[in-house]
Amino acid sequence: MLKRFVFMLCFGVFGVANAEMLIKQNLSVSVEVEATKYVSFISVSGNEALRKLKTLNVSDKNAIIKTYNNINEFLGKESICKGGSFEIQPIYEYKNNQRIQNGFTSNYSLNCEFFEAQKEDYDKILRKIENEVQKNPYLLFALPNVEKVLDEKSLTTLDEQLNVKLLELALQKAKEYSNLSRHKCTIKEINLGAFAEEVAVPTMRKMNLSMAKSEAQDLASVSLPTAKNTQKTAQGNVVFSCR
């Protein structure tokens, strides 16, 4: 009877000693990301003279179209600025429940994405647009803003690197828990891919450009804006198993 009791007691201690202990923890790793890409939305629109016209003859329409076509031909297929769509539309207003045509409007737009090494290309595009628009009595070119933003391709690569760092941190934690508990601790489950960004507001530079003192009166070179670094974070829920 005594032998049976001792056997049962030893079996019970062995079972407790081999019980699985689970540790659940949320881990995170962070890195600072520098904005490296610049974006700009370029727009050409009809001016006050165009908005006051009662009629727009074919010659004037063709002159506007020619202005836009000249810009698009200058840009080419490999340009840092994409788009180039445009329209010429009549403006209508209602008086006494009647629709009356009152002037015309026109719009042309480009989306530009470039890096600092391509700044000269951006300057050339602005000068080309300015010079073409100056030749047309019905168009207006407002100098666009430039923003410094994060590059999507670089962020994708960074996400993968952060996941590796997160896994390395989890493995390090498993070793620490093993030393602390005197059990063998391993990663039982880990969820990666929860990314967060601390949005940094770009420091905008006011684009007041003085005209160059030359016969052509080209636009001066723009000063690119700056932006604070962004904090990129990867988070993961980890379950450690210690036996």
Side-chain angles (χ1 to χ4, degrees):
M1 185 73 178
L2 180 61
K3 290 182 179 180
R4 185 180 179 185
F5 174 77
V6 172
F7 172 77
M8 292 179 64
L9 179 62
C10 291
F11 178 79
V13 172
F14 179 80
V16 172
N18 285 271
E20 181 184 28
M21 177 175 64
L22 298 180
I23 302 174
K24 299 181 180 180
Q25 186 176 8
N26 180 270
L27 298 178
S28 65
V29 290
S30 300
V31 66
E32 278 197 350
V33 188
E34 181 183 2
T36 57
K37 186 172 72 173
Y38 298 91
V39 295
S40 179
F41 177 75
I42 293 177
S43 176
V44 177
S45 59
N47 60 19
E48 188 68 20
L50 183 63
R51 289 191 292 270
K52 290 181 177 180
L53 282 183
K54 296 298 182 181
T55 59
L56 186 65
N57 59 43
V58 175
S59 178
D60 288 334
K61 287 181 181 178
N62 287 339
I64 294 174
I65 293 172
K66 181 181 178 181
T67 298
Y68 296 148
N69 285 345
N70 287 345
I71 297 172
N72 286 339
E73 289 172 5
F74 174 81
L75 295 175
K77 294 182 179 180
E78 303 301 322
S79 175
I80 59 174
C81 296
K82 305 296 182 183
S85 62
F86 59 86
E87 64 178 3
I88 304 172
Q89 296 288 342
I91 300 173
Y92 293 100
E93 63 179 18
Y94 287 86
K95 288 185 178 180
N96 299 323
N97 295 325
Q98 290 186 340
R99 191 176 75 161
I100 302 173
Q101 190 272 321
N102 185 21
F104 291 84
T105 184
S106 181
N107 292 285
Y108 170 93
S109 61
L110 289 171
N111 287 299
C112 305
E113 296 183 1
F114 61 98
F115 295 92
E116 188 170 357
Q118 299 169 301
K119 175 180 175 293
E120 186 176 347
D121 294 335
Y122 181 72
D123 287 338
K124 289 179 180 178
I125 291 171
L126 293 184
R127 289 176 184 137
K128 176 63 177 179
I129 295 174
E130 176 68 21
N131 290 337
E132 290 295 332
V133 169
Q134 281 185 352
K135 301 174 187 176
N136 196 297
Y138 297 122
L139 297 179
L140 175 68
F141 173 46
L143 200 64
N145 280 333
V146 180
E147 293 185 38
K148 193 174 186 182
V149 299
L150 299 175
D151 179 32
E152 294 83 357
K153 292 182 180 180
S154 299
L155 284 178
T156 300
T157 302
L158 186 62
D159 288 346
E160 296 173 358
Q161 294 173 352
L162 282 172
N163 269 336
V164 171
K165 290 184 64 176
L166 191 61
L167 182 57
E168 291 174 346
L169 178 60
L171 292 171
Q172 179 62 35
K173 286 293 181 182
K175 292 180 181 179
E176 294 177 4
Y177 290 139
S178 295
N179 295 333
L180 183 64
S181 64
R182 297 182 181 180
H183 290 77
K184 178 63 177 178
C185 297
T186 59
I187 299 173
K188 185 172 185 177
E189 181 180 332
I190 182 170
N191 297 318
L192 303 176
F195 300 102
E197 294 177 18
E198 179 186 319
V199 179
V201 179
T203 303
M204 302 298 296
R205 289 190 185 226
K206 196 174 181 181
M207 295 301 175
N208 288 335
L209 303 184
S210 58
M211 300 298 290
K213 294 183 179 179
S214 65
E215 293 181 1
Q217 286 193 322
D218 285 337
L219 283 175
S221 175
V222 301
S223 297
L224 295 178
T226 59
K228 295 181 180 178
N229 287 353
T230 297
Q231 192 80 12
K232 182 78 172 178
T233 302
Q235 298 178 340
N237 295 317
V238 188
V239 178
F240 299 97
S241 173
C242 301
R243 292 180 180 274

